[in-house]
Amino acid sequence: MASKDKLTSLEKRWILYDVGNSAFTMLVSTIIPIYFKNTASAAGISDADSTAWWSYAVSISTIIVAILGPILGTLADTRGYKKPLFTLFMMLGVLGCACLSLPVGWVLFLAVFVVAKVGFSGSLIFYDSMLTDITTDERMDVVSAQGYAWGYIGSCIPFTLSLLLVLFAGNLGLSGGAAAAIAFLLNAGWWLLTTLPLLRQYRQKYGVEPASHPMKESFGRLLNTLKDIRGEKSIFLFLLAFFFYIDGVYTIIDMATSYGKDVGISDTNLLLALLLTQVVAFPCVILFGKLSKKYPAQKLIGFCIAGYFCITCFAIQLDRAWEFWFLAVCVAVFQGAIQSLSRSYFARIIPKEKSSEYFGFFDIFGKGAAFVGTMLMGISTQLSGSSRTGVIVMALMFVAGFLFFRIAVKAEKAKQAANGKG
């Protein structure tokens, strides 16, 4: 048994996967969109149109996982299914990332990216659900927060190497495209190597016995859980609020680099600023974790939503490098905190005996939000011819999320008061 603060071997290996897959997240936020936009620009595609097409690709990959997620999530609860499904999607992501290095046109590049993104997002469904197998209920908050924190700082290792390749490609005798291709291969290898320790030690502890018709049974369980959620006002309202504000968070993660290029920020400033984001996010996640012991999670979540709203308002007029650096730091302060606190708050208000099924819907709302956000930004950008319009839409998402969250918190307090009277 581990002490209260010391991580077990299996917990460390679970956290290590966050270190590995976060490298791909960094690529999606930095080098991949820059490489794509440069490729599209060389093919005569305008900045606004390439940003829109990038938005559509991210949205398509997200909706694929959102559609498959409910089925895959319930299948993963079947004993013996979780590890093979996790491995399948992880390898889809790793191979997709490696194939981005192939010298293809911008359309095919986007298609390969969609495959890689589906593999990455799909693997997280099973990775998140492994938490119940690799640790105890009392340690979940701590282990989950450690995953976010080390994911941020650990991803800096392959990203820094990739950044050096791209920035000093000429000195190394490489073209910009060749340097990016090597970076894709490097990150794919990092992702795979950091996953192997978890695959060797992980064993599924909890799950239902395989049914004669597992797909049919999965749909039945999903329908029952959906009915339960609809009957719980505070849970449903929180998921609705989460949909709106996490929409803005994920869209900012996916679209920051593309937007920065549109307003004239250089590739070097974009990459270095987003590297700073990862470094700053590490202590900030830990800080908010400590603050949660002193302040209610709902107040901290509301503070984070308000912070993101201010970030998007400032981004509307962004046109200088120092402003992008400033925003990168601001995003780093709130990004990990809002995700970690949302997960912890949701865990407290749901029925504990159905936590896996409820978290399946939590993931679905997050994936659906990511689809809507990037799609809205793509459409509004293409119709207006300016990325700034898309940022205004994101600001409105945070307003809606904040309002629904306030209502959800009041509903939860009323439910607790009613239960107390009973």
Side-chain angles (χ1 to χ4, degrees):
M1 294 292 291
S3 67
K4 183 177 180 181
D5 299 318
K6 188 176 180 181
L7 296 170
T8 67
S9 173
L10 184 55
E11 289 170 348
K12 290 177 181 177
R13 293 179 182 217
W14 183 82
I15 290 169
L16 192 58
Y17 182 71
D18 211 327
V19 173
N21 73 65
S22 292
F24 180 74
T25 302
M26 280 292 285
L27 281 183
V28 173
S29 301
T30 53
I31 294 177
I32 293 178
I34 289 174
Y35 180 83
F36 164 71
K37 287 184 73 68
N38 289 341
T39 302
S41 179
I45 307 299
S46 70
D47 286 344
D49 281 343
S50 62
T51 295
W53 283 112
W54 177 254
S55 299
Y56 299 149
V58 173
S59 298
I60 290 169
S61 63
T62 302
I63 197 170
I64 289 173
V65 176
I67 292 171
L68 295 177
I71 303 169
L72 295 174
T74 50
L75 280 176
D77 283 335
T78 304
R79 195 176 300 277
Y81 278 45
K82 190 177 297 184
K83 186 174 179 178
L85 285 169
F86 169 73
T87 305
L88 173 65
F89 277 83
M90 178 274 297
M91 287 304 303
L92 187 66
V94 168
L95 293 175
C97 181
C99 287
L100 290 174
S101 62
L102 298 175
V104 296
W106 68 273
V107 176
L108 190 54
F109 180 87
L110 276 186
V112 175
F113 167 73
V114 168
V115 172
K117 191 73 158 54
V118 167
F120 163 78
S121 300
S123 73
L124 293 182
I125 295 174
F126 313 112
Y127 170 68
D128 289 341
S129 67
M130 286 179 181
L131 191 58
T132 57
D133 296 318
I134 61 99
T135 191
T136 62
D137 291 345
E138 296 75 21
R139 294 173 58 81
M140 280 186 187
D141 288 341
V142 173
V143 175
S144 178
Q146 290 284 331
Y148 273 112
W150 287 105
Y152 284 127
I153 201 69
S155 63
C156 292
I157 298 173
F159 177 71
T160 301
L161 294 174
S162 302
L163 186 60
L164 292 174
L165 273 172
V166 172
L167 295 180
F168 297 101
N171 296 334
L172 297 172
L174 298 171
S175 66
I182 295 173
F184 298 150
L185 292 170
L186 173 67
N187 282 269
W190 171 270
W191 187 356
L192 178 61
L193 289 175
T194 53
T195 307
L196 294 178
L198 177 62
L199 291 178
R200 282 197 291 265
Q201 189 174 354
Y202 172 74
R203 297 291 182 273
Q204 185 174 351
K205 289 173 61 178
Y206 304 103
V208 299
E209 294 303 319
S212 55
H213 301 286
M215 195 72 70
K216 181 179 179 181
E217 184 180 280
S218 296
F219 277 112
R221 286 161 53 196
L222 279 172
L223 290 173
N224 288 334
T225 304
L226 181 58
K227 291 177 182 177
D228 291 342
I229 290 176
R230 289 176 61 187
E232 290 280 356
K233 183 180 178 181
S234 62
I235 295 175
F236 177 76
L237 286 170
F238 171 76
L239 286 174
L240 194 59
F242 179 71
F243 176 87
F244 281 105
Y245 70 73
I246 210 66
D247 184 338
V249 173
Y250 288 160
T251 303
I252 288 173
I253 293 172
D254 288 331
M255 301 302 300
T257 302
S258 185
Y259 177 70
K261 279 186 69 67
D262 285 355
V263 297
I265 310 301
S266 70
D267 290 357
T268 301
N269 274 305
L270 287 172
L271 294 173
L272 291 175
L274 289 167
L275 174 60
L276 177 64
T277 300
Q278 299 298 104
V279 176
V280 174
F282 174 70
C284 288
V285 176
I286 296 175
L287 173 62
F288 270 91
K290 292 182 177 180
L291 287 174
S292 66
K293 298 177 182 178
K294 186 176 181 180
Y295 301 100
Q298 54 266 36
K299 287 189 176 181
L300 294 176
I301 293 173
F303 180 72
C304 289
I305 297 172
Y308 262 107
F309 174 75
C310 293
I311 287 171
T312 52
C313 289
F314 186 81
I316 293 171
Q317 56 80 52
L318 185 150
D319 59 4
R320 285 172 285 184
W322 76 263
E323 293 175 333
F324 192 85
W325 281 81
F326 174 72
L327 284 184
V329 173
C330 292
V331 168
V333 171
F334 300 112
Q335 182 173 299
I338 197 169
Q339 294 178 82
S340 180
L341 289 168
S342 297
R343 181 164 55 185
S344 299
Y345 179 79
F346 187 66
R348 283 194 294 274
I349 66 174
I350 60 174
K352 297 298 182 287
E353 68 276 8
K354 296 182 179 180
S355 59
S356 296
E357 294 179 25
Y358 273 77
F359 264 103
F361 278 91
F362 182 80
D363 185 71
I364 294 166
F365 272 75
K367 294 295 187 299
F371 163 74
V372 172
T374 52
M375 184 62 74
L376 283 177
M377 184 162 186
I379 293 172
S380 57
T381 296
Q382 203 161 36
L383 289 176
S384 67
S386 172
S387 303
R388 299 182 193 276
T389 307
V391 178
I392 294 174
V393 173
M394 289 305 99
L396 296 176
M397 289 291 186
F398 284 115
V399 172
F402 183 81
L403 293 175
F404 278 117
F405 183 69
R406 289 285 300 273
I407 299 171
V409 170
K410 289 181 179 178
E412 178 61 22
K413 288 181 178 179
K415 184 179 76 172
Q416 291 178 356
N419 290 339
K421 290 177 182 179

